[in-house]
């Protein structure tokens, strides 16, 4: 899995050993939550086994409201139960038993909505700064973000870090990397990607790719997770409410989308 500016949930719906993750030198099974900037991460499954999962992306603003643990999740990969509690097992079983993906989407949307209603949301200024970061592809400076939301640089840094889990500058780096990674996956030459993404030069791009993934730009360009992004998560538009659909699920602030498919890279 290539680093992405979201908190990502993988709900394991497989039979048997199911989903296997490798991160931070450890190999573990089952449903997983991946925080922002989690480092090198690989998913797979047992040889010959069928691996199915529901992948849910939450913007860190939404994750803070739904999971209540955005800061603690940054840089980590943890079992879903650690974040969701004992309800995670019940939700897994309900989703696994559902006769269709459409029903799974509805169940997942309902479960997320219940958690969203029960937790406070981040400051509107923090949410606005994040949206501007996304729309500018990570190229808006911290001073400009602070001016836009009407806060001092120090206050923005403090509140953003405490509610999102990354300092604004680090978060912007992650957003910029995500834009560059998708250009690489589209076949754009590394030198052109560096220029289009605001990096000083190709060497700068290479260092950032290494920092976020532990891999080279060439390896990132071939990442299977990026290959399905255009289908699984087309360019989103803000949704006023939870809206399940036949091939996607969206949530407010920044949409969350899911596709019924075997986990890419499973073997």
């Amino acid at each position: 899995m290539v680093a992405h500016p979201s908190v990502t949930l993988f709900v394991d719906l497989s039979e048997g050993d199911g989903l296997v993750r490798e991160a931070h030198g450890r190999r573990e099974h089952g449903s997983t939550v991946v925080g922002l900037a989690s480092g090198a991460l690989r998913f797979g499954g047992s040889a010959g086994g069928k691996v199915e999962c529901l992948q849910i992306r939450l913007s860190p603003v939404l994750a803070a409201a739904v999971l209540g643990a955005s800061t603690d999740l940054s840089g980590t990969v943890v079992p879903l139960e650690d974040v969701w509690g004992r309800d995670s097992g019940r939700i897994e079983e309900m989703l696994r038993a559902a006769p269709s993906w459409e029903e799974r989407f509805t169940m997942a949307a309902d479960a997320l909505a219940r958690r969203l209603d029960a937790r406070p949301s981040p400051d509107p200024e923090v949410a606005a700064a994040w949206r501007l970061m996304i729309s500018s592809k990570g190229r808006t400076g911290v001073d400009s973000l602070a001016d836009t939301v009407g806060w001092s640089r120090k206050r923005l840094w403090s509140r953003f870090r405490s509610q999102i889990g990354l300092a604004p500058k680090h978060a912007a780096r992650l957003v910029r990397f995500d834009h560059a990674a998708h250009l690489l996956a589209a076949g754009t030459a590394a030198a052109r990607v560096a220029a289009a993404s605001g990096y000083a030069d190709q060497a700068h791009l290479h260092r950032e790719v290494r920092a976020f993934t532990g891999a080279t730009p060439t390896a990132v360009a071939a990442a299977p997770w990026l290959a399905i992004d255009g289908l699984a998560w087309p360019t989103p538009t803000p949704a006023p409410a939870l809206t399940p659909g036949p091939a996607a699920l969206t949530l407010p602030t920044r949409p969350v989308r899911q596709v019924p498919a075997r986990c890419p890279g499973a073997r």
Side-chain angles (χ1 to χ4, degrees):
M1 178 183 169
V2 173
H4 188 271
S6 66
V7 174
T8 307
L9 281 62
F10 293 92
V11 184
D12 189 5
L13 305 178
S14 312
E15 301 293 339
D17 289 339
L19 193 66
V20 180
R21 64 181 178 276
E22 296 178 11
H24 307 304
R26 300 175 60 184
R27 174 178 287 195
E28 296 180 298
H29 294 260
S31 298
T32 302
V33 180
V34 182
L36 293 175
S38 59
L41 177 61
R42 187 175 182 85
F43 282 97
S46 302
K50 181 181 180 182
V51 179
E52 284 191 324
C53 66
L54 185 63
Q55 180 185 356
I56 305 172
R57 286 179 178 170
L58 302 174
S59 83
V61 172
L62 192 55
V66 172
L67 303 177
S70 183
T71 300
D72 296 338
L73 289 171
S74 293
T76 67
V77 181
V78 299
L80 179 63
E81 185 178 8
D82 287 2
V83 177
W84 207 287
R86 289 178 295 179
D87 280 350
S88 62
R90 179 180 60 83
I91 291 169
E92 285 179 12
E93 291 302 319
M94 289 175 55
L95 292 172
R96 189 176 291 116
S100 70
W101 280 99
E102 285 73 16
E103 290 189 49
R104 286 172 171 170
F105 291 157
T106 299
M107 290 177 181
D110 289 344
L112 291 169
R114 286 193 296 271
R115 295 182 67 89
L116 183 64
D117 291 340
R119 287 166 173 76
S121 297
D123 294 327
E125 292 85 354
V126 170
W130 176 259
R131 287 194 297 270
L132 183 57
M133 213 175 270
I134 292 292
S135 65
S136 67
K137 299 179 174 61
R139 299 181 68 174
T140 301
V142 178
D143 288 336
S144 179
L145 289 173
D147 288 342
T148 300
V149 303
W151 278 356
S152 68
R153 179 189 177 98
K154 182 178 180 180
R155 179 172 175 79
L156 175 63
W157 189 97
S158 175
R159 301 294 289 175
F160 194 98
R161 175 67 179 81
S162 67
Q163 296 180 21
I164 299 299
L166 295 176
K169 187 174 181 179
H170 192 179
R173 284 178 56 208
L174 177 59
V175 172
R176 183 168 59 168
F177 159 78
D178 177 65
H179 174 62
H182 283 85
L183 290 178
L184 290 168
T188 308
R192 293 186 61 189
V193 170
S197 303
Y199 293 105
D201 51 30
Q202 191 171 337
H204 185 195
L205 169 66
H206 193 281
R207 290 193 300 272
E208 288 292 89
V209 171
R210 279 283 188 188
F212 281 111
T213 69
T216 64
T218 300
V220 167
W225 294 104
L226 291 173
I228 68 165
D229 266 14
L231 172 64
W233 291 277
T235 302
T237 54
L242 287 163
T243 310
L249 179 77
T250 59
L251 283 165
T253 304
R254 286 292 294 176
V256 182
R257 295 179 179 269
Q258 308 152 20
V259 289
R262 296 184 184 180
C263 297
R267 32 175 152 317

